[in-house]
Amino acid sequence: MTPTMPSAGALACEISDAFVEGGAGAATLAQQVINACDHADKPLLPYPDSASLAQKLDVMAQRYGAREVTFTPQARQQLDQITAAGFGHLPLCIAKTPLSISADACLKNVPHDFVLPVTACAVSAGAGFVRISAGNIMTLPGLGTLPGYYHIDIDDEGHICGLS
């Protein structure tokens, strides 16, 4: 039996007790997520895959109230390189401050007529999207196979060593 999508867009609702019961407390929720993935349609994006990355970004920026999109020279070069490498068909993932729909944390609520400053562009090929950084965005580095904290210790005199 194929579930029908209710008007609110959800296939199911489950309570997760994972914090109390560990994995067993999230098993029913996990099964519902699997069911939803099995019956999900392709996401509907507000722009066609065939649009250029700049056009896709313009569509998204306008949808959220921006007057225009600007690029740093580095971001423009990155966008051109991504397109030339054959990734222009991918959807966008826009990183910005969580404090505003704009890239400016001081513009609260739902601002309009703002400028969206694109500062960096990169491909997440495995995930299948192009990352757009709007404003001052700090990304987290991945850990190596042997993170530095393995080398931190306390010697016999109580001094911390291995931090250098």
Side-chain angles (χ1 to χ4, degrees):
M1 176 174 87
T2 301
T4 58
M5 184 72 70
S7 62
L11 292 174
C13 178
E14 294 294 337
I15 295 174
S16 173
D17 288 322
F19 287 109
V20 176
E21 299 175 23
T28 305
L29 172 62
Q31 186 57 55
Q32 291 298 344
V33 170
I34 292 168
N35 293 343
C37 291
D38 288 343
H39 297 96
D41 293 329
K42 183 177 178 185
L44 295 176
L45 299 173
Y47 47 74
D49 287 344
S50 60
S52 72
L53 293 172
Q55 290 169 330
K56 292 174 185 181
L57 188 54
D58 282 339
V59 168
M60 294 306 299
Q62 289 174 13
R63 178 171 274 215
Y64 288 101
R67 168 178 75 252
E68 69 176 304
V69 177
T70 61
F71 292 86
T72 64
Q74 178 184 359
R76 175 55 74 182
Q77 182 181 18
Q78 291 167 340
L79 198 69
D80 292 344
Q81 289 171 339
I82 290 166
T83 301
F87 295 106
H89 67 284
L90 293 176
L92 302 179
C93 178
I94 303 171
K96 55 165 199 54
T97 177
L99 301 175
S100 175
I101 197 71
S102 74
D104 183 349
C106 296
L107 294 177
K108 301 297 184 197
N109 298 321
V110 184
H112 293 283
D113 201 36
F114 59 88
V115 174
L116 185 69
V118 176
T119 54
C121 306
V123 176
S124 290
F129 57 80
V130 173
R131 293 185 333 263
I132 304 294
S133 295
N136 186 18
I137 299 298
M138 182 186 304
T139 57
L140 296 174
L143 292 176
T145 57
L146 185 61
Y149 70 84
Y150 278 112
H151 305 292
I152 299 172
D153 201 355
I154 299 176
D155 65 18
D156 293 335
E157 286 88 41
H159 300 105
I160 298 174
C161 54
L163 291 176
S164 57

